[in-house]
Amino acid sequence: MKTIIYILSVVFLLTSCSKDFLEIDPEGDFNAENFYKTEGEFNAALTGAYAKLQGQIDIYFELTEYRSDYLDFAAPTAGTQDRFDITKFQDNSANVLIRDAWANYMNGILRCNVITDNLPAANLSESFKKQIEGEARFIRALTYFNMVRLWGDVPIILKQVTPQESLTLGRSPISEVYKVIENDLLFAKDNLKLTNNGRATSGAAKALLGKVYLTQKKYPEAITVLSELIGKYSLQPNIADVFDTTKKQNSELIFSIQFYKGISTEDHGLWLSVSDVTTTPFTQKLLNAYQLAPVIDARKAMVDYRLGGTKNNIFVPGKFYDTPVNTTNNNFGNDYTILRYADVLLMLSEALNEESYQPAGSAFDYLNDVRTRSKLTPLTPTNLPDQASFRDAVLHERFLEFPFEGQRWFDLIRTNTATKEIKSGKGINILPYQLLYPVPQTEIQKINNPSIFYQNEGYN
Amino acid sequence: MKIKLIKVRSLVGERLLFIMKTFIFLFCTTVFSFTTEKSFSQDKIKIDADKIVTVDEVFNIIQSQTNFRFLYPDNLFENASKVQLRKGTIEVSKLLERSFSESKSNVKFKFFEKNTIVVEEIELISKPKTEKPQQPIQISGKVTDKDGQPIPGVNLLEKGVLNGTQTDFDGKFIMSVSNKNAILVVSYLGFTTQEVPLNGQTSIAVTLIESTTTLSEIVVIGYGSQKKAKISGSIATVSISELQDFPVSNFDQALAGKLAGVQILQTTGEPGRELSIKVRGTKTLTAGASPLYVIDGVPIETGDRATEAVNMEDIESIQVLKDAASAAIYGSRGSNGIVIITTKKGKNGVMKVSLDHSTGIQNVSKKIDMMDAYQYAQLSKDGHDAAYLQEIPTGTADDPNGLRPVGYHKIPEELFPYLNGVQGLTNTDWQDEIFRPAVIQRYNLSVSGGNDQWNYFVSTNHSFQEGIVIESDYKKTGLRANVSINSGKFKIGVNTSSTYTFENRVNASGPYTDDGIVASALGMSPTWSVYKPDGSYNFDGNGLWRIGTDYQHNEILNPVAVAKEIQNEVEHYNVLANLFVEYEMIKDLKLKTSLAANYNNYQNEYFEPSIIEKRGLQNYGQLDNNNASLSTTTIYKWTFENTINYNKKVGLHNFEILGGMTAEKSSSRNQRITNFLPPSIPGSNATQIINAGNADIDYGDLTDPNDDRSIISVNATSGLDEWSLFSLLARFQYDYDGKYLLSASIRRDGSSRFAPNSKYGNFPSASAGWRISQEEFLKNKNWIDELKIRGSYGVTGNFEIPNYAFLPLLGGEDYLGASGLKPNNIPNDKLSWETTTMYNIGIDAELFKRQLGFSVEYYNGDTTDLLLNLPVPQTTGFGTFLQNIGKVNNRGYELGLKIAPDLGQLKWTSNFNISFNTNEVLELGPEGTPIEQIVEGVDSAFFRTEIGQPIGNYYLLVQDGVFISQDKLNKYPHFPNTAVGDFRFVDVDKDGFLDVNKDRTIVGNYAPDFTYGFSNSFKYKGFDLNIAYQGSHGGEVLNLLRRYSANSEGNFNNTTEMLNRYQSPINPGDGNTNRANRKSQGNNSRISTWHVEDGSYLRLQNVSLGYSLPKSVLEKLNFDKIRIYATGNNIYTWTRFTGYNPEVNKNSGTQLTPGVDYGTYPLATTYSLGINLSF
């Protein structure tokens, strides 16, 4: 009997020990429950938020460049049906690229929100906190800005939400989304450093804020904030220098998503490269747009295909031509520009003209700065006698300046010229509802509450 | 009658001499179970009414109520007076005493250790001698089983005379018989009693044959064992004889088709790969679906670690616990069934040595009929022509390349000689280049023996198996030592096995895009040679037809080069050791402590030399880097178990109570280093490459892209994964007279994998059985030997969920070399196991002297709390959230039939089993949203799991022939760009339009409607013949390889099926096969039923013919057994499936997308010769 009691007591003893025995920390992974405390941890979280931007390059290509009058292609091949549908304005709410873009942005916002959620409780210096918060909010603002332009009303998520909460979160009106974006950028503008090797800066915040104002047609505010950048950056003497991989972080770049070919996970896959120059996806409108005489528009070379790759056996648009350094790997390290000084100049020019056409104003100077850099003659009030012609000229200049930089589709929406330009570029008559993308059907199904989470008009 | 001097050996080894006239032995059947009846003298016998009976009848009563058997000469109590019995209960000893005193007072009996009763007839001095004593004849002999193993303790009686003896440890005996023609009655429990006429011989050899009765068969049920007759759950067993003669490296392959309700799938023919075992259907969507293996009591969660740890010849028995009630004793690991493997232990007797060897030759079981170079050239031309005419309608098929504007309109120049019919050109059969006849050899040596104090079984085995794909092989070497020691109340045992395997792997599975050798060989143009004239590999398939003029022939790497030049070696050390101590504290109460460790170490060395180009035209003709990786995975798991077991027999009531606690912990570590060096630095193995890269890491200037040093190539990762499980368990078993059976158990599991709010789970079970055949009203029906009905109900779990899934984990993601971390998942503080609740009813019967047996079962089980990555709004940051939600039902019938007609010398046994399982999803998340997935990055290869359907259906367009005329095309809905010769698809939603999304429907499922097995064994004199079939019916396979091999585009080689393609209105082909067109339109290339095939098959799994030398020869040679045999494995498969193997399942780890063939290592057909020796 004694033995039984002994054994039973051993069993109970072991039972009571089992609580600790069953608690195993994931040693191989970081556990968020005890993370977000030190500067290093916040820096790592912020790096994670930046890293998300690398994957968003694809969204710029698929959802804005292929949508625009730059790119077109005749027939889908295996795996490109969704891209084809977007290109041809045949997309629907089941389009996987649209769905993935939504998911990608929302995940990016989460990565910013974990930072802003955890910062207040962290025992760290205020200056550090402001810097981290500013960068996170810049990334969040950039993400929301893309979302609001692609889908219109979107859910405003400024903190981590549980699955239960998420079912009650609907889409907020565009105006409220812009308020959030402005708030984030104002904070970033006031709290970030002026320069910060490739990361978000107050300059980047200002440039983006300027674009946000411009998009909302808040011209005076745009002019104010963009003007603060004049002289702080400068145009590269040659357009090719902007993208040259040996001239990263040059004085024209305000914010770009960075890549690095020396590390296998940090390079990228040859944007728009083709194996056969007869099968490029460029529209004739783009190919024919550049002035060839009396001088050749320097930007033509940014669009033209060159033999590229380390083995010179693929064709790459000049803008993404990477000087071969690695003799074995065909990896490319071109950065992807989001904001650059030429953009600021053209935005400012646009905003000034929208405020009022000034034949002798600086709007002409800014426009011509960009033109003359690419060997074109300056435009004068003779060429552009009124606000409307000036407006067209700025838009056209942007067309020439920013192919594949994720600007064009947004420019067309902002200037309300998409219908006309798509028609002239691809021969497609688009309908007004197609200025916005459908919200992914999967999201509508998941929330299953059309009063708060509805489809955009025209889609089902 | 004369007093005889007889040697009797008690089980404690003491030699006792008795003087007696005769004796009776009483045996308790549990002598051979793991718990011996220590003393039965207090067992009670129930007398149901007052009666007067003979002594023989008294013995019958004792026999019927206690399972004791009496063996005694017919006439011992011939003249004894009858015994008067009163209603009530009485102890066995008292009953015997009374019987003897009343009937034959000169008989005394004594209880000895271990169930032995010695009965002495006391010499009555006064008895007058009426006969002259006969001169006794001394004879000797040996008793062995059919394997030649000596059997100690066998009873030998001279028929009609009260005279007998027992065999000693060596199975030998010496006895005196009354005359030279006496007949010996040789009996031993579990064996058929034989009568052996001496016919004048003084030395005889007796071979006892195991009795076919399965009543006394012991079934291991987890933390204990039970007589098969008393089982009321559902347990499938495989007899060891069915596992012999399989020329396979691991035992699991030999199980296929043997077990009702257990689907054993050989999804790949790669040597050494474990099989996928599924018990009673798919019960999970995302968690693990493999059964738990229990080897000599040690739970092992992973198939490869279990199958490699046990050598086939070392297996004593395999049982599969199928119903939830049986598996519930393993609690949260029981849902997928339990495979219990028991290894051999030494038996009492002299040292016995067994040696087995077989050598076989393997060949690929099937080749796919591919086009030859001339047929391919024509297909390719037709494809390019069609693409040209489609875009340039004014052209003609005779236009030269010069007139054709685009690369894919043109015909590769190299094809012109073929098209012009020039003979003798390169015509490579790429399948012949990658397959080969391959050798398989197996060696096994075991030594075993023992006595009452200890027994041992030690064995070593070695097998070498070449793969039928060139450059692949598998070597395995194992050692086992099972030793146990009995000392008083203690029993101490050690079971250890250590296994070392070495594999050369090749990348045989997977599509050509992953350089899968088989898919590459099928797709490669037969116009390419394997080698160039200078002996180097020919890589023209990797882009020659895309450089310059892009004919758009897809780039494929030379599969021979991939197989031969890439080194991929895997070493695996597997040590499984188990130490237990059993202590009999008081009578019938045993404590057992066991400590087990399982250590696994995997080493992988991968080296890809620079001559293996990267696939792709931009790499054509270019050396690649030398790529290398070294990785190590170490998995260590310990198990600590303490159980207490109490057996009690009160009258006819039998109780067994088990209680226990167990703790287990597993940790898995891995490290992986990769590096590459440019081709300018040659290397010959992975270590060189790693070390060269590691020598002096200089990251240089990260921001200077011209700084070569900044290329970071050495990459290292590591991981650590741990889990723990703590459990309490209890089981109560009861039966009344072996007639009414009851069993109940409960296990409580706590696991580190479960979230804090659901850390512990309870898994109860209950089962009951009624052996109707034991009832009086059936006892006289002598054509019914056994009839049992049984039912069970139980709850089990599936804890194969990720280790830390309930926690908010962070994952790494770098940006420009800076380490970043990001949230990886939404935490779930309720995450827990999946629960299966299943009931099972069954009938078992054995009829006509056990010549016919059958077993029928029905089961029905719901698995709830399915672990599902449930879609959640992306506003959470993620698209899915891992939750326990969802429900799936599995129900089905299993039928087993055994025929063993008694044909005298010819022993014939046939077993047939068939299993039907229906799988149905009942709930999927709160909204019941179907789960749709695509596989392998093929954006139209959809799978759908929805309520009311089985898990993982193919959800595709329905292809229904081709349009053979414009007229037919116009009359039927079609895609806008569909032309004559293209596929006709069914307008599923009947809206008059085809839509690639709306017209998809469920078109099949990998799960079969039923599976069956049929095995036959014949023995005649020294010959034995085994024939086994297995089959599966009603499953479909999604053969994605047909995207390439049956695409009619001319950019890949195609199967000869495509010779039946539509060519012209006058030559429309078979009406089902589409025209050639490089730029295929009309959604021909979209995944549809064109790619779905019937996966039903019947396979002649194994035929073996053996011959054992007769005893007479063996004795001269001093051998117990010499058997030679020839065997064929996987001999023929009847199927309509066009791929290699209808069991293929590329994504066998996931349940939502099963049944994909995207290139697979084919199965081998093996013929072997072998020999079994023992002495």
Side-chain angles (χ1 to χ4, degrees), chain B residues 282 284-285 888 919 921 944-945 949-953 1005 1151-1152 1154:
Chain B
T282 304
T284 183
L285 298 174
V888 66
N919 178 260
V921 175
R944 186 175 169 105
T945 295
Q949 293 285 341
I951 295 168
N953 305 289
N1005 189 293
Q1151 310 313 316
L1152 292 169

Side-chain angles (χ1 to χ4, degrees), chain A residues 107-317:
Chain A
N107 184 257
I109 288 167
L110 170 74
R111 293 189 191 185
C112 300
N113 288 343
V114 294
I115 296 170
T116 53
D117 280 355
N118 285 291
L119 259 183
N123 186 19
L124 299 169
S125 74
E126 281 310 306
S127 62
F128 176 81
K129 283 184 173 184
K130 279 186 174 154
Q131 176 69 28
I132 294 289
E133 183 179 349
E135 291 187 54
R137 291 179 71 173
F138 173 84
I139 296 168
R140 186 168 72 188
L142 175 64
T143 309
Y144 266 121
F145 188 37
N146 287 334
M147 288 190 83
V148 75
R149 290 182 293 174
L150 293 172
W151 288 286
D153 300 353
V154 291
I156 295 175
I157 311 295
L158 301 177
K159 64 179 189 59
Q160 289 165 269
V161 297
T162 64
Q164 290 73 25
E165 288 167 334
S166 72
L167 292 170
T168 65
L169 294 168
R171 299 172 65 185
S172 298
I174 293 175
S175 57
E176 286 183 31
V177 180
Y178 272 116
K179 249 177 244 163
V180 167
I181 296 169
E182 286 177 16
N183 279 338
D184 279 347
L185 290 175
L186 287 167
F187 182 90
K189 171 174 87 78
D190 296 338
N191 290 287
L192 289 181
K193 290 184 222 162
L194 195 60
T195 58
N196 191 358
N197 190 29
R199 297 209 158 189
T201 59
S202 68
K206 286 172 185 172
L208 189 59
L209 187 57
K211 187 166 276 193
V212 169
Y213 286 143
L214 190 67
T215 305
Q216 297 177 85
K217 308 202 187 316
K218 294 180 176 175
Y219 300 115
E221 292 90 335
I223 292 163
T224 308
V225 71
L226 290 170
S227 299
E228 292 175 31
L229 298 166
I230 299 299
K232 301 287 193 300
Y233 297 86
S234 62
L235 292 179
Q236 288 292 299
N238 297 306
I239 181 75
D241 294 347
V242 178
F243 308 101
D244 192 328
T245 51
T246 66
K247 299 190 171 71
K248 290 194 168 198
Q249 304 309 318
N250 60 64
S251 63
E252 183 168 339
L253 296 176
I254 300 173
F255 186 74
S256 49
I257 299 170
Q258 302 193 47
F259 292 89
Y260 180 66
K261 70 176 146 194
I263 304 170
S264 61
T265 55
E266 298 292 304
D267 57 354
H268 63 72
L270 307 168
W271 300 310
L272 296 171
S273 66
V274 291
S275 57
D276 181 347
V277 275
T278 63
T279 57
T280 74
F282 298 168
T283 59
Q284 283 304 310
K285 181 178 178 181
L286 174 63
L287 294 172
N288 297 339
Y290 292 97
Q291 177 185 309
L292 301 176
V295 289
I296 298 172
D297 187 331
R299 293 169 295 199
K300 175 91 167 85
M302 297 293 96
V303 171
D304 285 344
Y305 274 95
R306 299 164 66 180
L307 259 182
T310 50
K311 298 178 194 117
N312 266 341
N313 51 7
I314 47 167
F315 297 91
V316 188

Side-chain angles (χ1 to χ4, degrees), chain A residues 423-440:
Chain A
K423 175 74 182 166
S424 67
K426 305 201 222 190
I428 298 172
N429 291 309
I430 67 169
L431 297 167
Y433 78 85
Q434 292 181 311
L435 299 180
L436 291 177
Y437 276 106
V439 170

